[in-house]
Amino acid sequence: MKPGEPGTELLARYAESIFWLARYVERAENLARILDVQESFSRDTPGAKNWFSIVQLYADEGRYFEHHSEASAAGVIDFYVMNLENPSSIISTIRMARENARTLRPLISTEMWTHLNVFYNQLRGTASSRMALSELSRLCAVIKENCQTHTGITEGTFFRDQGWLFYELGRAIERADQTTRVVDIKYHLLLPQRDEVGRILDINQWHTLLRSLAGYHAYRRHYPSGMSAKSVVEFLLLNPEFPRSLALCADRIIQTLASLRSRFDLHGGARAIESAESFIDKLQNARETNILAMGLNEFLDGVQIDLVHISANIAAGFFGHDAEQGSGSRP
């Protein structure tokens, strides 16, 4: 499927829509996770002051202050849950997922299309009273459950052809990116003073972070006792068996790219594989040193840049985009 070849342009457009359908739903779920963990942190005095850090996490400062004068809890919740003028909000990402699904009607199941419609309409009908801080955790639970339902329906009904691989590719890249943001929230929001490291508040925050990624019980299987910043960071980023770790996502990215080329004889994607291999090398080097010692924030920033490059190379290799222009990302 080389873009520009006779008869392949439409398939490239379908592939891109499937790739982004997966990314949008994964993004909505993880944004709900980040808001949920911030709601938990806000019950403590340090976290209650840090809603602006979520805006910083997504580099949305300019766009946010077009709508709100201050970064309050109510303002950030409105901006990231229900604001249709914010393309990063949950309702906007689900709307874009639905629009992608609309173009994919010949390829996806009726169940996938129906559920996305119901989910979007449910969000649109969300009462303003459910946007209160006291209701946020319950609202996030509903959003996460709907995203996971979409994933389950897709797993059970999507035909296992090229489209499925592009769906897997989009989900793995987005999940890796969002895991870095969830871990980064600890750095931005709650990095304790040096004398607070390892104390109860610090440990409780790492505990909450693990639960926000549904990783607490898996972590306990790997580390039956004790908890430290080093062990949590290594588990979330480098454990090859945890579904949301960078290591597992990176492996899925490169395996999926290889399958697209070997099973379906697709000629694009060589540069994407090169950038994915470079990404895996970086993770292996990080394992041998120490991410906290090299700087957690700097490491996570570098990972996000790597994922942008991989995404841009996928867009150039399979969707007909110019690799030299932009990041390959949709709004």
Side-chain angles (χ1 to χ4, degrees):
M1 185 181 57
K2 292 181 67 176
E5 285 187 355
T8 62
E9 186 175 351
L10 188 62
L11 188 54
R13 183 166 63 84
Y14 277 154
E16 185 174 18
S17 292
I18 294 168
F19 177 83
W20 278 100
L21 167 61
R23 293 197 66 164
Y24 286 138
V25 175
E26 186 72 24
R27 188 173 296 180
E29 179 182 344
N30 281 281
L31 182 50
R33 292 182 181 281
I34 286 174
L35 290 170
D36 197 19
V37 74
Q38 168 57 15
E39 189 277 331
S40 298
F41 288 155
S42 70
R43 298 168 195 166
D44 299 321
T45 301
K49 301 174 182 175
N50 287 317
W51 285 91
F52 179 56
S53 297
I54 293 183
V55 180
Q56 293 177 303
L57 203 61
Y58 285 93
D60 279 334
E61 293 93 330
R63 197 158 47 200
Y64 177 85
F65 287 111
E66 291 176 4
H67 298 272
H68 299 279
S69 59
E70 61 176 346
S72 62
V76 171
I77 293 169
D78 170 75
F79 186 70
Y80 281 111
V81 178
M82 291 301 293
N83 193 322
L84 279 166
E85 295 182 37
N86 173 19
S88 300
S89 71
I90 288 171
I91 193 167
S92 289
T93 52
I94 294 303
R95 181 178 64 174
M96 289 187 283
R98 179 172 171 267
E99 289 306 310
N100 278 270
R102 187 192 303 279
T103 69
L104 294 166
R105 287 294 286 117
L107 300 181
I108 64 175
S109 66
T110 301
E111 288 85 350
M112 284 177 66
W113 169 244
T114 300
H115 176 260
L116 274 174
N117 266 304
V118 171
F119 182 18
Y120 177 64
N121 289 327
Q122 185 179 356
L123 280 174
R124 287 184 63 193
T126 299
S128 58
S129 59
R130 299 199 65 188
M131 301 291 290
L133 181 58
S134 59
E135 293 292 317
L136 181 60
S137 186
R138 276 188 282 271
L139 178 60
C140 288
V142 170
I143 293 167
K144 287 185 282 186
E145 184 177 331
N146 269 289
C147 292
Q148 290 170 348
T149 300
H150 163 83
T151 301
I153 291 172
T154 304
E155 290 252 4
T157 63
F158 206 125
F159 191 64
R160 287 338 193 230
D161 60 359
Q162 297 173 40
W164 170 251
L165 293 178
F166 280 110
Y167 185 92
E168 286 275 275
L169 195 55
R171 186 169 61 173
I173 290 175
E174 189 66 31
R175 181 169 290 185
D177 178 74
Q178 296 296 326
T179 293
T180 66
R181 294 181 193 276
V182 173
V183 175
D184 213 17
I185 203 170
K186 170 69 172 160
Y187 174 87
H188 275 287
L189 296 177
L190 300 154
L191 190 68
Q193 300 296 319
R194 188 174 296 275
D195 60 355
E196 293 176 337
V197 172
R199 293 192 173 184
I200 292 177
L201 177 61
D202 185 38
I203 296 301
N204 284 343
Q205 289 169 353
W206 286 115
H207 183 281
T208 302
L209 206 69
L210 278 167
R211 288 194 178 279
S212 76
L213 287 170
Y216 177 74
H217 292 288
Y219 173 86
R220 277 295 173 225
R221 290 182 64 184
H222 199 68
Y223 297 98
S225 62
M227 183 177 290
S228 67
K230 182 175 184 295
S231 63
V232 175
V233 167
E234 286 189 350
F235 180 77
L236 293 177
L237 302 185
L238 303 179
N239 190 296
E241 294 164 342
F242 178 56
R244 296 184 179 278
S245 75
L246 287 183
L248 191 144
C249 291
D251 182 67
R252 186 167 297 166
I253 290 168
I254 204 157
Q255 294 296 333
T256 306
L257 286 168
S259 292
L260 282 167
R261 289 167 64 84
S262 61
R263 286 179 55 195
F264 298 101
D265 198 28
L266 303 188
H267 301 297
R271 292 185 64 180
I273 289 180
E274 289 176 9
S275 53
E277 288 175 340
S278 174
F279 179 49
I280 287 179
D281 287 343
K282 176 180 287 188
L283 295 182
Q284 289 174 341
N285 289 333
R287 184 186 302 278
E288 293 170 0
T289 55
N290 185 319
I291 293 174
L292 293 179
M294 73 174 68
L296 176 61
N297 185 242
E298 290 77 7
F299 176 78
L300 295 174
D301 284 348
V303 167
Q304 288 168 9
I305 291 170
D306 290 340
L307 292 169
V308 168
H309 287 158
I310 294 171
S311 186
N313 285 329
I314 289 170
F318 296 114
F319 309 148
H321 292 207
D322 187 343
E324 303 302 323
Q325 296 179 356
S327 63
S329 296
R330 290 187 180 181

